[in-house]
């Protein structure tokens, strides 16, 4: 499924609500929820472009030695 404008707005609204909740309650699990959604969005953006996230390259690809 591709993200259309309506879904994109809902995701952004959810992210802003999670950020506001985290700031208001100042609970670790709320900050973790924000971080998780941000990671998911970054992953989706790379995959939708046919790319691999740079953190995955760093983590899973071996460096080529000469």
């Amino acid at each position: 499924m591709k993200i259309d404008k309506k879904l994109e707005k809902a995701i952004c609204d959810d992210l802003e609500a999670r950020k506001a909740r985290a700031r208001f309650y100042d609970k670790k699990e709320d900050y973790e929820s924000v971080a998780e959604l941000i990671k998911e969005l970054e992953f989706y953006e790379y995959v939708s472009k046919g790319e691999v996230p740079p953190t995955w390259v760093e983590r899973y690809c071996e460096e080529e030695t000469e």
Side-chain angles (χ1 to χ4, degrees):
M1 175 179 183
K2 295 204 179 231
I3 294 181
D4 60 7
K5 291 294 180 186
K6 184 177 178 181
L7 182 57
E8 182 180 1
K9 182 179 180 338
I11 292 168
C12 290
D13 290 348
D14 181 35
L15 180 58
E16 290 307 312
R18 289 183 192 202
K19 286 179 178 179
R21 179 183 173 91
R23 284 190 301 268
F24 184 78
Y25 290 108
D26 199 29
K27 289 185 178 178
K28 178 183 175 185
E29 52 273 359
D30 290 332
Y31 289 107
E32 290 171 349
S33 174
V34 169
E36 181 180 342
L37 183 55
I38 289 171
K39 281 184 183 179
E40 290 173 359
L41 289 172
E42 288 174 351
F43 177 78
Y44 177 79
E45 287 174 9
Y46 279 103
V47 170
S48 66
K49 295 179 203 173
E51 299 175 2
V52 177
T55 53
W56 282 30
V57 173
E58 292 171 11
R59 187 178 304 144
Y60 301 115
C61 294
E62 295 179 20
E63 291 184 26
E64 294 183 16
T65 56
E66 294 182 36

